């Protein structure tokens, strides 16, 4: 079973930047990022397709967040710029263990999850 270990996150002022890393124990296919804020459902942040590296982002983070991956290191990154207080949440990386035609935006598309890492943005 794939194990995912996240690092990064923390506390930042509004307008600042943070970067997450997510290392998988084995090679994976699609990789995604989700976030969960108190009182809200887990929200799609973005994903990267296993073949060719195409990406897709949620509307609330488009133009501010960037996903990249290093397949040689089984690692996916989430660069978060221009952070806003509403970006405060626990962030999770996720992995799809089967090849797809495009990375999914639903939590049901992923079978393995990281431990979650808190991001707090002060205004």
């Amino acid at each position: 079973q794939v194990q995912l270990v996240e690092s990064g996150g923390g506390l930042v002022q509004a307008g600042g930047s943070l970067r997450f890393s997510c290392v998988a124990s084995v090679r994976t296919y699609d990789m995604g990022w989700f976030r969960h804020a108190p009182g809200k459902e887990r929200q799609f942040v973005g994903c990267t397709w296993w073949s060719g590296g195409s990406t897709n982002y949620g509307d609330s983070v488009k133009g501010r967040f960037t996903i990249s991956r290093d397949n040689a290191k089984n690692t996916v990154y989430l660069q978060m710029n221009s952070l806003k207080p509403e970006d405060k949440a626990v962030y999770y990386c996720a992995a799809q263990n089967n090849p797809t035609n495009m990375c999914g935006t639903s939590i049901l598309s992923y079978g393995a999850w990281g431990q979650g890492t808190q991001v707090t943005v002060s205004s």
Side-chain angles (χ1 to χ4, degrees), residues 77-119:
Y77 305 95
L78 176 65
Q79 178 67 42
M80 303 182 290
N81 297 330
S82 302
L83 282 161
K84 305 175 181 179
E86 52 263 44
D87 293 319
K88 175 182 177 180
V90 176
Y91 284 71
Y92 297 88
C93 66
Q96 164 63 266
N97 296 331
N98 297 294
T100 67
N101 293 323
M102 185 55 197
C103 58
T105 61
S106 167
I107 60 174
L108 300 178
S109 299
Y110 301 90
W113 293 84
Q115 78 276 16
T117 305
Q118 178 71 49
V119 168

Side-chain angles (χ1 to χ4, degrees), residues 11-115:
L11 172 64
V12 66
Q13 287 188 331
S17 299
L18 286 172
R19 188 188 195 215
F20 274 116
S21 297
C22 176
V23 181
S25 56
V26 296
R27 179 180 176 178
T28 61
Y29 290 95
D30 303 339
M31 296 290 289
W33 288 94
F34 291 78
R35 65 187 183 185
H36 193 187
K40 297 184 179 180
E41 294 184 352
R42 193 167 293 196
Q43 182 187 37
F44 171 72
V45 173
C47 64
T48 174
W49 189 43
W50 67 278
S51 179
S54 297
T55 54
N56 188 19
Y57 298 95
D59 289 340
S60 60
V61 306
K62 279 181 181 177
R64 300 188 297 124
F65 291 11
T66 303
I67 294 173
S68 60
R69 67 188 297 167
D70 184 339
N71 289 332
K73 297 180 179 180
N74 294 334
T75 300
V76 64
Y77 305 95
L78 176 65
Q79 178 67 42
M80 303 182 290
N81 297 330
S82 302
L83 282 161
K84 305 175 181 179
E86 52 263 44
D87 293 319
K88 175 182 177 180
V90 176
Y91 284 71
Y92 297 88
C93 66
Q96 164 63 266
N97 296 331
N98 297 294
T100 67
N101 293 323
M102 185 55 197
C103 58
T105 61
S106 167
I107 60 174
L108 300 178
S109 299
Y110 301 90
W113 293 84
Q115 78 276 16

